[in-house]
Amino acid sequence: GYLQGLRDLCDEHGALLMYDEVQTAVGRLGTLWGYESFGVTPDVVTMAKALGGGAPIGAMLTTAKIAESLGPGTHAATFGGNPLCTAAAHATLTTILDQNIPAHVAEIGKYLAEQMMTLKDEFDCVVRMKGRGLLQGLEVSIDGNAVAARAIENGLITICTNNHVLRFLPPLIIERAHVDEAVEIMRKTLRDAA
């Protein structure tokens, strides 16, 4: 209800609701735009990173009403559209849509969460899995930084946030076999950490 509450407050006070989707746009959460997975539409969405498929680009989407107030020169971006990066973004979006990558991400993200949570039965330090699509975090009750360092040594790249959340942002094209391999590495890592 948090996002709906923000939407209601913005509507009540005539404020714009803006989402920063630099990390969540272009399929990462199992929908093309991250906000679609929450059902609360913003007035403005900013995006970058995945949009260019590796080429540096930033963009902003907005409603038609707000766009009317953005005349030439009123909006700029460090990595705004240029011919090369815009072509890369077009190719990226075309591929994401043509291959229905968001649906794949939703399916594999659910599998990732389910498989990581099987570790909770084996390790008291596993608290929960949180996130959506392929932006997931495994919360542990022990020093997550040490666990992340050990996971890297074991062959699984992850980072720790808030000292207790191991963050997983795999490529959008991973398959179940990759998830199974990651879970086995986490199993070994947690066994070593215990």
Side-chain angles (χ1 to χ4, degrees):
Y2 179 80
L3 292 177
Q4 186 60 55
L6 286 178
R7 175 77 272 168
D8 294 343
L9 278 172
C10 289
D11 291 345
E12 179 182 339
H13 296 284
L16 297 179
L17 180 58
M18 300 175 73
Y19 291 170
D20 174 352
E21 289 215 26
V22 168
Q23 293 189 40
T24 58
V26 193
R28 175 62 59 187
L29 299 187
T31 52
L32 183 59
W33 312 117
Y35 77 84
E36 294 174 308
S37 68
F38 296 98
V40 180
T41 303
D43 300 301
V44 177
V45 177
T46 60
M47 65 196 70
K49 292 188 181 183
L51 179 63
I57 190 167
M60 178 188 82
L61 297 177
T62 188
T63 64
K65 181 178 178 183
I66 294 167
E68 291 172 4
S69 66
L70 296 171
T74 60
H75 176 263
T78 304
F79 291 113
N82 65 61
L84 176 63
C85 293
T86 302
H90 181 267
T92 298
L93 288 172
T94 299
T95 300
I96 293 285
L97 293 171
D98 286 353
Q99 295 183 14
N100 200 10
I101 298 294
H104 173 77
V105 168
E107 176 188 329
I108 295 297
K110 181 179 178 194
Y111 184 72
L112 171 65
E114 290 169 353
Q115 295 308 303
M116 283 291 180
M117 279 312 297
T118 65
L119 299 174
K120 188 173 177 74
D121 296 334
E122 297 175 51
F123 302 97
D124 293 337
C125 64
V126 174
V127 177
R128 67 183 171 138
M129 191 73 173
K130 58 185 181 176
R132 198 175 290 254
L134 291 176
L135 176 59
Q136 299 271 349
L138 182 68
E139 186 175 347
V140 294
S141 60
I142 58 178
D143 179 8
N145 290 302
V147 175
R150 180 65 63 106
I152 290 171
E153 289 173 10
N154 290 335
L156 178 63
I157 298 174
T158 185
I159 63 169
C160 179
T161 62
N162 297 329
N163 297 316
H164 295 286
V165 179
L166 302 167
R167 195 167 185 217
F168 299 99
L169 285 100
L172 303 184
I173 58 171
I174 68 164
E175 299 292 341
R176 286 176 180 251
H178 301 119
V179 170
D180 294 341
E181 183 178 355
V183 170
E184 284 308 311
I185 292 172
M186 281 307 303
R187 180 172 282 113
K188 177 185 183 336
T189 299
L190 291 170
R191 195 176 298 123
D192 293 346

